[in-house]
Amino acid sequence: MAVSNPVGTYDLLPRQARVWERVKQLAFSTFGLYGYEPIETPLFEHTDLFVRGIGESTDVVSKEIFHVISSYNYRTLQEGGQVRSKDRFALRPEGTASVVRSVIQNDLVPQGAAPVKLMYAGPMYRAERPQQDRYREFRQIGVEFLGAAAPTADAELIIMLMRFYQAIGLPMGSVRVLINSLGDDRCRPAYREAVRAYIHEHSSEMCEDCNARADLNPLRAFDCKEEGCRKVMAQAPLITDALCDECKEHFAQVKALLDAAGVPYVEDPHLVRGLDYYTRTVFEVQVTDGMGAQNAIGGGGRYDKLVEQVGGRPTPGLGFALGFERMMHALEIGGAQVAGDAPAVCYVACADASVAAQAFDVMQALRDAGIACDGDHQGRSLKSQLKVAGRMEAPVCVVVGPDELAAGRVSVRDMRARTQETVALEHVAEAVSALLER
């Protein structure tokens, strides 16, 4: 039986891989205009980082973590032993906790320093049930903005995300931005208690998970997908009625800045996002039609307590992440295309085996001149090589033949115009470049 990829994963084949590279390029060029710099963190971290950072009550930590274990520790567990906490690792389920850990460890925001803006892209892992646009290995692009507390930072983040969606070709009429404020340590505790009491009052109508969440993080019940829970939570107390004056003012300024920038939004008092670390502003970008329940293509918010929770000094922060797979689905629905075409490649063919070595030298010379090229490595006939060049849609083909070579020349074919000329060997790169630029 042939070996296949694990359930919940997929291969990025050449065209998809080119699209992924193009999306990252567009994201980084857009975010770079706002002062963001790239960062890469390990694919796995200490499990405790995600427990402390994301929250033990979240589905991500309680149900979806992929634990990583060495063969030595696996044997230790089989023999009834204990694995030390420093040897307990997990594949990263999201990027924020890892970036925050790196910021703390490398002191990227020293006391009194300017904020740091970081952007990243790569695979994440969650052991959830695979479904449409939901994979166990998936790709995210994200940013983290550490050290800024002003509402201008919140507004800038949302505006930047929407600028990226515009740049990539997503029809703006097909998406909406939901925003909410989750308050802070001054106003949220009392609100959490009110929601906890409300859930207990309606415990018979709530699912088992939501009843368990009532004592861990009752706000997570707003994120439940069970229809009965959604119906109950639609009548729950609203955070917007419980915000303190400072949080109300912060949220009002964020909205005013978005209004001034011409970015439309919808206030959703039930929006909580799925992670425990958020405070004050949260937001989510949704596709309005064609994607069913899995219509969120990006989102994030402010997490002013996260750095402290992970072990750093008090530092405000905020960020967002967008999913590659769902975004590509949204682009497909909207009829937009991300350029993922293969680069133009010049094909070098040899008339017969006697000049194969010289054809090989021509390929190297073209590559040294910065021209992508390929050629025969199977001993095919010239006719077969030209067919290969056609299937590759090579715009230019260089034919190396013994007669031309004896005169220090080769044939250069324009495959689109169906014309051909002989060119001196020392000028072949110039001739090919001229044809590729047409």
Side-chain angles (χ1 to χ4, degrees), residues 381-398:
S381 67
L382 178 58
K383 183 178 180 180
S384 294
Q385 291 176 64
L386 294 176
K387 285 183 178 179
V388 171
R391 286 196 295 271
M392 289 173 54
E393 298 183 355
V396 180
C397 184
V398 176

Side-chain angles (χ1 to χ4, degrees), residues 124 202 218 285 365 419 425:
M124 308 292 167
H202 296 82
V285 180
T419 59
L425 271 172

Side-chain angles (χ1 to χ4, degrees), residues 163-201:
R163 294 288 184 269
F164 165 71
Y165 284 137
Q166 282 183 310
I168 207 166
L170 192 65
M172 289 295 96
S174 70
V175 298
R176 63 176 183 172
V177 182
L178 303 182
I179 64 171
N180 191 24
S181 176
L182 297 181
D184 60 15
D185 284 351
R186 286 165 293 190
C187 53
R188 189 155 62 173
Y191 176 67
R192 284 166 58 104
E193 288 303 318
V195 175
R196 177 181 289 114
Y198 178 82
I199 293 173
H200 284 317
E201 287 173 14

